Amino acid sequence: MTRVTREIKGRVNAEINRCIAIAEKHYDRSFKFPTVVYKKRGTTAGTACDLTYTIDLNSVLLMENGDDFIGTVTHEFAHLVDGIVNPHTRDGGIRYDRFGRTCRGKRSVHGPSWKRIMRLFGVRNPTRCHSYNVSNARVKRSRKHVWVCGCGNGRVVLTNLKHNRQLRLASSGYGMYSRGHTPRRCGVYTYKGIEGTATPKPFRDRYPTPKPKTSTKLAHAVKIVRDNPELSRVKLIALIQVACGMSTAGATTYYYNAKKA
Ligand SMILES: [Zn+2]
Ligand SMILES: [Zn+2]
């Protein structure tokens, strides 16, 4: 986590104090100083929690965007003030509809009441989104490892932790399997690489060469026998054996069948 310097923390606190002073004057009541933490990660600049009266700020964005970021402090503190002075803007707040019946308050955290408070704090155009440079704040996505079963249809995608477990267990038939594709049925799972970077299946694996049918093998044998009348029986059988990829016994049978054909 990026360390938030004492100087930046001082500016965050100063902004909150500035807003507290304005709010206390306007609403004629006191506002506590909120708990401020710097745990937010990712591309979210900050969040505010009514229940714990806490503002959580993104330390990476805070350190990189400096003065611009102070607007987030204002934004989040406005949420806390809004939650106190306009509790109906929160989930579960009780309000009355036009017939005098009680109803649940509609959740509208960036609604008119929040915008009013933002203007009170001196923000001209309150927007709900921030526009900081967030490129460095992106949380690194952990790599996902792909394992595939023997039949090729069972597939599990594992996090680093589970992947390391699988490395130890897969060869012994334990580990993670997709439903119905157990090592007993499909053979042990093999590692295919990191998800998204897996090499596509080779063309020949997708369209395997069909095995020559018996009839075409015979046609082959017939052609070999007819085309080479000068060759001996042994040489013809050897030729058939190589051309059709069969045993000597098989080639011999085809040789005689070819002679008869
Ligand atoms: Zn907000
Ligand atoms: Zn399988």
Side-chain angles (χ1 to χ4, degrees):
M1 191 195 292
T2 309
R3 272 192 75 92
V4 181
T5 60
R6 186 177 293 223
E7 191 239 331
I8 294 282
K9 280 182 182 172
R11 271 151 73 187
V12 169
N13 293 348
E15 174 62 10
I16 294 171
N17 279 324
R18 183 186 75 86
C19 294
I20 286 178
I22 294 170
E24 288 187 336
K25 199 174 168 200
H26 183 84
Y27 293 104
D28 195 23
R29 53 156 293 171
S30 67
F31 289 91
K32 275 194 300 173
F33 194 93
T35 309
V36 182
V37 293
Y38 300 89
K39 291 178 181 167
K40 205 87 236 162
R41 295 186 69 207
T43 57
T44 309
T47 51
C49 177
D50 287 345
L51 278 177
T52 56
Y53 200 61
T54 299
I55 292 174
D56 190 352
L57 299 171
N58 187 319
S59 58
V60 176
L61 289 175
L62 182 58
M63 290 307 291
E64 286 185 352
N65 293 278
D67 277 340
D68 294 343
F69 194 90
I70 293 301
T72 297
V73 180
T74 323
H75 177 124
E76 301 309 336
F77 186 65
H79 279 312
L80 294 184
V81 173
D82 189 28
I84 290 169
V85 301
N86 305 301
H88 60 269
T89 59
R90 294 300 185 271
D91 247 343
I94 301 294
R95 69 198 310 193
Y96 299 94
D97 67 11
R98 61 204 170 95
F99 304 110
R101 294 175 303 207
T102 55
C103 63
R104 289 285 175 192
K106 191 169 158 282
R107 190 173 171 82
S108 169
V109 289
H110 297 113
S113 63
W114 171 80
K115 282 185 177 151
R116 245 190 327 273
I117 294 165
M118 284 291 272
R119 287 195 200 97
L120 191 66
F121 290 162
V123 180
R124 288 264 179 82
N125 298 304
T127 51
R128 61 179 301 262
C129 299
H130 57 71
S131 54
Y132 312 114
N133 175 11
V134 295
S135 54
N136 286 330
R138 292 246 150 77
V139 174
K140 243 189 208 163
R141 277 192 60 214
S142 62
R143 296 199 281 189
K144 297 280 166 58
H145 302 270
V146 180
W147 287 74
V148 176
C149 76
C151 86
N153 292 322
R155 186 172 179 271
V156 283
V157 181
L158 305 175
T159 58
N160 266 328
L161 196 79
K162 284 180 178 168
H163 165 70
N164 288 330
R165 223 172 85 87
Q166 189 91 337
L167 279 175
R168 277 182 279 118
L169 296 176
S171 57
S172 53
Y174 295 94
M176 304 279 293
Y177 316 110
S178 65
R179 199 170 171 178
H181 295 271
T182 60
R184 266 182 69 183
R185 280 200 209 166
C186 305
V188 293
Y189 276 47
T190 47
Y191 183 43
K192 286 293 167 190
I194 288 157
E195 191 179 40
T197 60
T199 46
K201 233 178 170 189
F203 191 75
R204 66 169 187 280
D205 286 0
R206 276 180 285 170
Y207 301 101
T209 329
K211 277 186 184 151
K213 286 186 192 128
T214 315
S215 57
T216 54
K217 278 185 191 173
L218 182 62
H220 243 92
V222 170
K223 194 169 188 301
I224 287 167
V225 171
R226 284 196 186 145
D227 287 356
N228 306 285
E230 76 285 358
L231 291 182
S232 70
R233 186 186 72 101
V234 176
K235 280 190 175 161
L236 283 171
I237 290 171
L239 263 179
I240 294 166
Q241 193 182 340
V242 172
C244 300
M246 50 177 67
S247 65
T248 315
T252 309
T253 311
Y254 273 91
Y255 167 77
Y256 285 113
N257 287 341
K259 286 283 259 189
K260 273 186 265 169

